Structures are given as C-alpha cells and as structure tokens.
Amino acid sequence: MFYALALMLILPRKGRIMLGISDPTVGGANTETGVIDRPVEAEPEVMATNGHGTAAADGTRAPAAETEDTAAAPPVPIPIPPIVIRKRLVRGRYRSTSGSWQLALRVDVDGNRPTRRVSGDFFTVSGATTTYFGSFIVHSPTVTTTASQVKIEGTGTFTWSAGAPKIRLTIGRANLFESPKPGTLEFLTASNSPGATYFCPFESGFFRTVSYEQDSVAGTVPFLSYNTGSLPQPAGSPARVLTVPGAFAEAGIELLTTGGTNVIPVGAAGANAKWNDAELHAAMVNHFSGFTNTPRWQVWMLVATSHDGGYRGIMFDYGDAFQRQGAAVFYDAIGGADAATQRSQLRTYVHELGHAFNLLHSWQKNLANPPAPLGPNGGLGDLSWMNYDWKYQQSANGPGGAAAYWAAFPFQFTENELVHLRHGYYRNVVMGANAFGTGAAEVDPDLFDTPLVDNSGLALDLRSPKSGFAYGEPVVVELKLSGTELRGRDTHGYLHPNDDLVSIAVQQPSGRTVRYRPMLRHCVDEDRAVRVGVDKPALYESAYIGFGADGFLFEAPGTYRLRATYIAGDGSRILSPVLRLRVRPPATRADEAAAELLLGEEQGQLLALLGSDASQLGKGVSAIETLLDRFPDHPLAVYGRLVKGINQQRDFKELTTDKTLRVREANGTEAASLLGQVAEASLAPEDGVDNVTLNLAMRTQAMAEAKAGHPEQAHDVLRQLVRTFENKNLNPLVLDGIRQQARETAEAIDAAG
C-alpha cells in the first residue's frame, strides 16, 4: 500500500512522468541550455490492476469477496491509478560503423515538429581514411508503430543510382528509463529482394552536430540569450529563454561551443574601428588556415565593431573549403541591452549561421538547386529566421514590416528549412562543401522568362558602361531602377547584387547559365525605404560581377546574355531586358599575357575586394606586380593600379591566426600616385575604368593626398573630379549626386584635420 501511495505522489496528471534530467530523446528543446528536455506526449504502456494488485482478465478491477458479517459495510477499496510506462521517442541520429561502410542515419518521425522523413549519408572507410560516398532521403515513408517497435518503409531518393532503393527500418521501442534501442536498416530492390542490411546503434537526439566557435573584438558585447516572453509574441508560441545554440536545438541541430569567446584587443587599430570586406576576408582565411581543405561540421562567428558599409551581418562564401564556414555580425549596428535589441540580435546571429547551413533568404529559395518552393507572397511572407523583419509582407496589400513580423514570428525555421537542415544531402549542408544555394552552379533558365503581368510601377535596366570588354578585363555593369508612374512607388534602395535583393543571371557563350554570387554576402537587415517618382526618378548602382564565389564568369571570349531581377518592397519581381555583352578575344600575344596575369583565382579575389594584405593572396599580389612591371602601358594595367592604390590608401587590419590584431598603416603618397594614374587613363570615353569606379578612385585619391599631408592637393583632386564628370554629359540628377559626394569627402578630410 505504501508503494502505491508513493507512486500516486510522483505521477503527474495525464500519465506524464516529469524527470529531473535532460534527455535529448524526450522531446522539445530547452532553449537556455540547448538540450532537448521538454516533456512531450508519448504513447503509454498501461498495466491495469485489481484491488489486490492483480489484473483481471478483461483489464477491470475484480469484485471484493463477501464476508460472513453481512451486517458490516464492505470495505471501500482505495483506487490505484494505472502505472504509466512512457516510451522514448524514436527520433535522432543513428550510426553504423561496421565494415568498409559507415552510415549516418537520421530518423525524424517523432518528437518536436517531425518532418516524417528518414535520411542518411554513406561514407567509405579505407585504412585510416574516411571518404563521403553519397546520401539518400525517404520523403514520405509509411510508419507503423506497435507497443514494441516502430517500422518505417518507403522508397528513397539517392545521389547515386541505387539498385535497392527501398528501405525498411525497424527500431525497438525503449522505456524511458532504458537506453535507446538500435535500428536495423534493410535495403530492398523494387521487387523486394533483399540488399544490404545495417545495424545502427543510437548516437544522438540531434540530427546533426556542428562545432561552433565565436570570437569578439574588444568593445563589443556578444549576444547571450533572449526571453521570448519579454515582448508580445504570437499566441501559441511558448515563452522561453533562447540562446543561439538553443534556437538551432529546436530545429534538431546541435551547436557545440568550443569554449569561451576569445576577446581580440584592438588597441593597435587606433581610431579605425570599422571593418571592410578585405579585412574580414583576411580574418576568415587566417582563422581556417590551419585546417585541411575538406568539408567539416565547423563554423566560426566573428563579433566585430562595424562594417564600413553599415551592414548588420555578412556570410563568407568565396570558394574552396571556405564556402559557408564563417560569418560576422557588427555590434555597432545591432548592439544594445533592451528587449527589442536583444531580440533583433538573436535573429541576426541565427540568420547568418543559417546561411552557413546553406539556407537562402526567404525570397531566394527558388534560386537553389534543386529549387525550393517559395512561401507566401514570393517568400516575403515567410515567418522565418531567414526573412528580414523589415522585408516581411504577408501579401502585396496586407500588413507588413517589422511590427507585423514580430507580432507573428514564432522564433523558428519554416517546414522546408527544417527539411533542409535535418535531411539535406550532406554536401549541400556541411560547411566547406557545395557552394551557397546550390548543389551545382546551374541556374533555372526561367530566370529569363518575362512576367505575364507587371503592375509594379517600376522598371529595371541593366547596362554596360562599354560597348565591349577586352579579354581579361574586369566586367562591370550598371543598374538603373526607375518609376513608371507619375505618383511614384515606394520600395527599398538596395540595388547592388552583393545585397541579395538583386540577382543577375549570366548565359555564357557555351549556353550554360549561371548566377553571379558574391564572395561575401551582405545582409542588409535595415529598411532603407525610397520613393521612386517625380522627385527621384531613378536609382543607380554599379557592380563588378566579373568574379564571385564561383570564380570568373567572363573568362572566355564571346557574347554573353545577362538579365537582372530586383525584388521590390512589396515582393514584386522586376526583370530587366536582356543585356548582350561581348568579350573580345586577345589581339596580340601581349594582350593575352597581360590578361592571364589578371585571370588567376587570387587576382579575382583581389579585384572583388579592391586589394588585400592577406598572406594567402600573395601569389595574386605578385601577379599584379608583374603586370605593372612588364606591361605598364597596357590598358589592363589600370586595374592593377586601382587595386593596389585603394589598398594602400587604407589602414589594413589583419586578424592573425593567434587572434592578435596587426595593423599596416596607409601609404598615402603611393596610393595618391597610383590612383592619379587611374584617373588620367580614364578621362576619354571607354578608356580606363567605368564612371562609377572613376568616381570612387578620385575620391580615394583625395583622401590619400590628405593622409600624405597634402590637404590642398586633396581639394584640387575633388574639384577636378567634378569638372571631369561635368564634361561627360551625364544626367543632371547623377551629376548632382557626384557633386554631393565630393562635398561630403571634402568635409570628411577637413574634419580629420
């Protein structure tokens, strides 16, 4: 009797046993610790008993025996509740390690937000080496659950031609106090003949495990946690304390932190607290320089002060093993201790790390390979970590913006994002493998299809600043977004393809269609609303697209077809007319030799970054020096002077492998000389660099003169800048913008003293 009463005291209502343990196989995520431990409903095993502790045959309590004293009232039996023995969830990662094959198996039919899928990755083991072989996914299995086992059957989709594409997975059901039971995976042919069988012991309640390292620059305060109940949130979304690992734990992904955050002193940087793309790129390649050039479940986050472009975060994606392995967030743009700011910080961290797992922005999923379906309103209606709060728009005419987003966002990934995180093919998810957004470089040719209806009130033009480009010449394009209605249209001002709201598709002379992808992906997580109309008829932008995450796009002579897509503020997709662009073959051996000195992989990175001190790009720097020494008068030499001049004008911060900050001071005299030669070579139409690059070069030249101690020469350069463009017969609005940029540069020079 004492045992029965004690059991009643520890058993909660509805048959749940609440345990003071953290068991990843029990259910939802403890978002403070990153461990799955919230209790969830599980199928109970019920043992019915009679009043003497014995079960009747039909499961009911047996009647009490009669006594000789019929005058006495029969004793009232104390009701004993049924004993509920809860079962562990059949969910998580299993692994077979026998023989020459290794199988990582993911079972997702139970627990928190199950996607009802099974997937796996095969690796071959040879001696002391392990090599990835291929992956499979079973998208719609049949799941049969009994008291003793779960059986999962279905036909898989494989990365190779599988002779036995059907699977039968059997996993025994364990009581809550038992260890999880292993699974037996059988492969079957289409006619149900047996193939290979794998015995897979349970490994983890998480589907994937990633090593997560975070460093911070002194003066920044890395994000710790946010209580989702601190501010209003949607009904049905539980209030909980979320860390970055906790947010991924709810998706079934384990982020294992490598220890305390390294704090990087910045005393050597002086007043230059801002980071540019070249410095961030150098920091990232230095960080990973000690690792082999292979995919690995490892990601690095740098908490920096600020980006010179004002961004909140970026993701590194430039090639080789460095694709999707690092990200950075900028404290000056997202920092603060109030609840709204902490909430925004959490979203920014998870968003950038989501990119590292190869998740695209919500409105870009159709550009993946294979393409994923877009959510409501072309993806802008997604309530996801991967959307921007300011970009959220449930429908074209419905409520949108940050307030609407946070009122409805449940702090989770969407269903198709969960499928990718948990079950995407290994090389499409693991860091350092397939490129961002794609399992190959091909892009759906539908990017060239014109919409049947366009009531956006906006028009997009893609232009070439030159009638043709020389072999090896960096390809720059100009974009113009204009209004087509007198009353104007509200939209955003992000027109550069590096900002991910404009895509440029390139059909090469071979017929292959690729999409320009930047080396560093800027997340423009800030609303910059503009009205394109009478007062501002158009927006303009110039972009170097010759080299990106996939290397050079224009390295072969021939005719290229380009088309751009702009995602407007309301979700409209504005397509430009097709631009035909020609790359001329080399006319002489000198043309070919000069071009080859610019077409190396490292030279392409230097062109995209406008120079760098990264030691890993030493061969590229040497090739550019050779170009300037051997072919100083060749038209392509202007690009070598541009890259070298801009890099010499800036103090360059380099974060070394031992986490110290080394600063190389600017060389104003050399920079001014190099950029002055760039300006001189670009005065005639179609000579030298394009107009936007010339504007940048001359303003940078003025700053270099100031750093060299020549303030009057600096102002002379800015006056010459304005005169140069006044002689080019530009649009008056464009010319006004150039004058304003010259004034702002002069003011900055004067303020610096």
Side-chain angles (χ1 to χ4, degrees):
M1 180 62 71
F2 174 79
Y3 170 79
L5 290 174
L7 188 61
M8 290 176 63
L9 291 175
I10 67 169
L11 283 172
R13 294 182 179 179
K14 297 187 180 179
R16 291 189 174 189
I17 298 178
M18 302 291 289
L19 298 177
I21 60 173
S22 292
D23 188 335
T25 64
V26 174
N30 179 327
T31 56
E32 186 169 9
T33 64
V35 178
I36 296 179
D37 65 6
R38 281 206 311 274
V40 299
E41 294 289 350
E43 182 179 340
E45 293 291 327
V46 179
M47 179 171 67
T49 63
N50 62 23
H52 302 286
T54 304
D58 61 355
T60 62
R61 187 170 62 250
E66 294 184 4
T67 64
E68 294 181 2
D69 186 2
T70 56
V76 178
I78 299 175
I80 300 175
I83 299 174
V84 178
I85 304 175
R86 295 189 55 209
K87 297 287 190 179
R88 282 185 174 272
L89 302 177
V90 176
R91 174 185 191 268
R93 189 169 71 242
Y94 298 72
R95 187 176 295 272
S96 168
T97 57
S98 60
S100 60
W101 291 98
Q102 183 181 111
L103 169 62
L105 179 68
R106 294 174 293 275
V107 182
D108 188 13
V109 297
D110 208 345
N112 184 34
R113 299 182 69 192
T115 68
R116 306 291 289 181
R117 284 171 172 81
V118 172
S119 64
D121 303 318
F122 276 99
F123 302 85
T124 59
V125 180
S126 178
T129 61
T130 302
T131 306
Y132 170 69
F133 174 78
S135 301
F136 71 91
I137 307 175
V138 182
H139 285 286
S140 301
T142 300
V143 181
T144 305
T145 302
T146 67
S148 60
Q149 69 178 22
V150 173
K151 182 180 289 186
I152 306 167
E153 299 173 288
T155 300
T157 302
F158 294 74
T159 59
W160 73 96
S161 180
K166 299 173 69 174
I167 68 115
R168 179 188 298 139
L169 174 61
T170 305
I171 302 176
R173 302 188 69 197
N175 294 334
L176 189 60
F177 299 103
E178 298 176 328
S179 298
K181 293 187 177 181
T184 301
L185 178 63
E186 305 169 81
F187 286 90
L188 308 168
T189 67
S191 59
N192 290 325
S193 297
T197 298
Y198 295 87
F199 178 75
C200 304
F202 178 82
E203 184 176 56
S204 172
F206 294 99
F207 300 102
R208 305 189 197 269
T209 297
V210 179
S211 175
Y212 174 49
E213 184 174 352
Q214 180 175 291
D215 294 332
S216 66
V217 172
T220 65
V221 181
F223 170 80
L224 294 177
S225 64
Y226 169 69
N227 187 333
T228 66
S230 300
L231 294 169
Q233 59 176 352
S237 179
R240 67 252 195 224
V241 176
L242 272 183
T243 62
V244 173
F248 279 94
E250 290 193 348
I253 305 299
E254 183 179 30
L255 291 187
L256 283 180
T257 57
T258 58
T261 298
N262 292 312
V263 178
I264 301 162
V266 293
N272 181 16
K274 293 186 177 181
W275 292 72
N276 57 52
D277 283 352
E279 292 169 335
L280 291 163
H281 169 270
M284 191 267 298
V285 295
N286 280 341
H287 178 82
F288 287 109
S289 62
F291 299 92
T292 57
N293 189 4
T294 56
R296 52 190 174 271
W297 294 109
Q298 178 173 321
V299 66
W300 177 55
M301 175 71 82
L302 175 65
V303 184
T305 45
S306 61
H307 189 281
D308 63 2
Y311 301 109
R312 297 167 66 91
I314 66 169
M315 190 271 290
F316 304 105
D317 183 41
Y318 82 89
D320 295 332
F322 302 111
Q323 292 175 122
R324 304 184 286 103
Q325 291 213 355
V329 294
F330 302 103
Y331 178 74
D332 289 356
I334 65 175
D338 61 282
T341 303
Q342 291 289 304
R343 180 179 66 180
S344 183
Q345 285 185 47
L346 170 64
R347 200 208 62 80
T348 298
Y349 277 66
V350 175
H351 179 101
E352 298 304 335
L353 290 173
H355 286 322
F357 284 91
N358 219 344
L359 288 175
L360 282 78
H361 287 126
S362 297
W363 60 89
Q364 292 181 306
K365 294 176 183 177
N366 62 316
L367 300 179
N369 189 349
L374 290 172
N377 195 26
L380 298 187
D382 268 1
L383 290 166
S384 166
W385 297 108
M386 304 313 297
N387 205 351
Y388 292 158
D389 59 359
W390 67 268
K391 191 71 174 161
Y392 174 73
Q393 190 78 30
Q394 179 65 23
S395 63
N397 299 317
Y405 172 86
W406 290 115
F409 179 50
F411 297 91
Q412 63 186 26
F413 292 99
T414 63
E415 290 298 323
N416 63 5
E417 290 165 351
L418 279 185
V419 171
H420 173 85
L421 288 169
R422 297 175 179 180
H423 304 290
Y425 292 151
Y426 172 81
R427 291 192 61 84
N428 286 351
V429 184
V430 67
M431 296 80 191
N434 285 343
F436 182 65
T438 181
E442 296 294 331
V443 173
D444 192 331
D446 286 346
L447 277 176
F448 286 87
D449 288 346
T450 303
L452 297 177
V453 178
D454 185 356
N455 295 321
S456 65
L458 298 169
L460 181 67
D461 286 323
L462 187 63
R463 302 172 177 177
S464 171
K466 299 187 176 185
S467 58
F469 289 86
Y471 174 62
E473 183 174 11
V475 173
V476 175
V477 294
E478 297 173 350
L479 298 103
K480 175 186 176 184
L481 182 72
S482 55
T484 61
E485 298 177 348
L486 290 177
R487 62 182 179 178
R489 283 296 179 107
D490 292 328
T491 186
H492 60 82
Y494 296 108
L495 203 53
H496 198 290
N498 285 5
D499 295 337
D500 266 354
L501 291 166
V502 167
S503 296
I504 298 180
V506 179
Q507 190 177 71
Q508 297 172 328
S510 64
R512 180 171 179 253
T513 302
V514 296
R515 181 168 55 93
Y516 166 74
R517 300 187 308 113
M519 289 171 49
L520 286 82
R521 314 190 72 91
H522 300 146
C523 283
V524 290
D525 203 355
E526 178 185 357
D527 188 5
R528 295 182 183 173
V530 296
R531 187 169 185 84
V532 182
V534 176
D535 295 334
K536 186 182 286 291
L539 305 176
Y540 297 89
E541 186 60 88
S542 174
Y544 168 60
I545 62 170
F547 184 90
D550 299 305
F552 286 98
L553 300 186
F554 301 90
E555 59 185 340
T559 300
Y560 294 76
R561 298 173 67 243
L562 289 72
R563 197 170 198 185
T565 306
Y566 169 86
I567 309 298
D570 64 355
S572 301
R573 294 173 182 264
I574 318 301
L575 271 72
S576 73
V578 173
L579 167 67
R580 285 172 173 79
L581 183 151
R582 184 168 179 262
V583 175
R584 298 186 298 269
T588 66
R589 288 187 176 181
D591 289 343
E592 184 175 4
E596 293 298 331
L597 288 169
L598 279 182
L599 286 174
E601 182 80 9
E602 292 184 11
Q603 295 92 301
Q605 295 178 37
L606 290 167
L607 288 166
L609 298 169
L610 290 175
S612 173
D613 281 13
S615 58
Q616 289 81 359
L617 300 182
K619 291 181 180 179
V621 172
S622 178
I624 289 177
E625 293 285 1
T626 301
L627 170 67
L628 298 180
D629 289 341
R630 289 182 55 194
F631 305 99
D633 298 324
H634 194 278
L636 292 182
V638 68
Y639 296 100
R641 295 187 180 99
L642 174 72
V643 166
K644 187 175 179 181
I646 289 182
N647 193 51
Q648 285 298 310
Q649 183 274 332
R650 58 194 177 197
D651 297 336
F652 196 95
K653 297 186 293 296
E654 185 172 7
L655 181 60
T656 64
T657 54
D658 61 357
K659 300 299 188 295
T660 60
L661 201 62
R662 185 169 57 213
V663 179
R664 185 264 302 157
E665 293 185 357
N667 186 334
T669 300
E670 182 179 8
S673 175
L674 289 165
L675 295 173
Q677 295 175 67
V678 171
E680 185 177 353
S682 307
L683 295 178
E686 297 216 8
D687 284 351
V689 299
D690 64 281
N691 284 343
V692 175
T693 304
L694 176 58
N695 180 9
L696 170 65
M698 295 187 74
R699 286 186 288 115
T700 307
Q701 179 191 355
M703 291 185 286
E705 291 283 11
K707 286 186 177 181
H710 308 137
E712 285 303 319
Q713 287 92 323
H715 286 281
D716 285 343
V717 170
L718 293 173
R719 286 188 286 268
Q720 179 61 38
L721 165 66
V722 174
R723 288 195 298 269
T724 297
F725 284 102
E726 286 175 342
N727 293 330
K728 286 180 175 284
N729 297 319
L730 299 180
N731 182 302
L733 292 175
V734 174
L735 190 55
D736 286 343
I738 293 173
R739 293 191 183 103
Q740 178 63 27
Q741 289 176 317
R743 285 193 295 269
E744 291 172 353
T745 304
E747 291 169 358
I749 289 173
D750 292 340

